[in-house]
Amino acid sequence: MDEVKLERMTDPQGTEILKVSGGVGICEAGEFREALLLALEAAPEVRVDVTGLTGIDLTGLQLLCSAHQSAVRRGKNLHIFDGGNATFRDTATGAGFQRHTGCPQDRACSCIWVGGES
């Protein structure tokens, strides 16, 4: 996988944006987790931009799912913006994350995986 690059910025509306490029695997899990936690601490609205992602493994997908659940518990919103990134979509679909309804913890109907094929 390509080297991961994590950039945080805040848009004019106050949304925290975490832009992820390169690859996220088990070796990058700690760094990715920390970036997600800092973004969640910084704002009530977080957008994780994965348009530049060149690879992600099950660990990275699980961290995104966990970050979303943490956001919901804190009354915050976390969204994924993939810009049609086929690598991200194919990996999430292949791992069984894409779904039509949220998990039992998704009481706010904001699951980041809803809208997929399976």
Side-chain angles (χ1 to χ4, degrees), residues 5-66:
K5 186 174 179 183
L6 303 164
E7 298 174 78
R8 277 186 44 211
M9 59 201 86
T10 305
D11 75 7
Q13 289 76 38
T15 299
E16 191 75 7
I17 299 168
L18 176 62
K19 188 170 184 164
V20 186
S21 56
V24 176
I26 188 72
C27 294
E28 297 79 21
E31 183 181 1
F32 187 42
R33 177 184 177 272
E34 186 67 23
L36 288 165
L37 288 172
L38 289 172
L40 282 171
E41 287 298 321
E45 186 90 18
V46 174
R47 183 171 72 174
V48 182
D49 181 341
V50 296
T51 57
L53 204 62
T54 58
I56 188 166
D57 70 1
L58 188 58
T59 304
L61 295 172
Q62 289 173 326
L63 284 170
L64 287 171
C65 191
S66 180

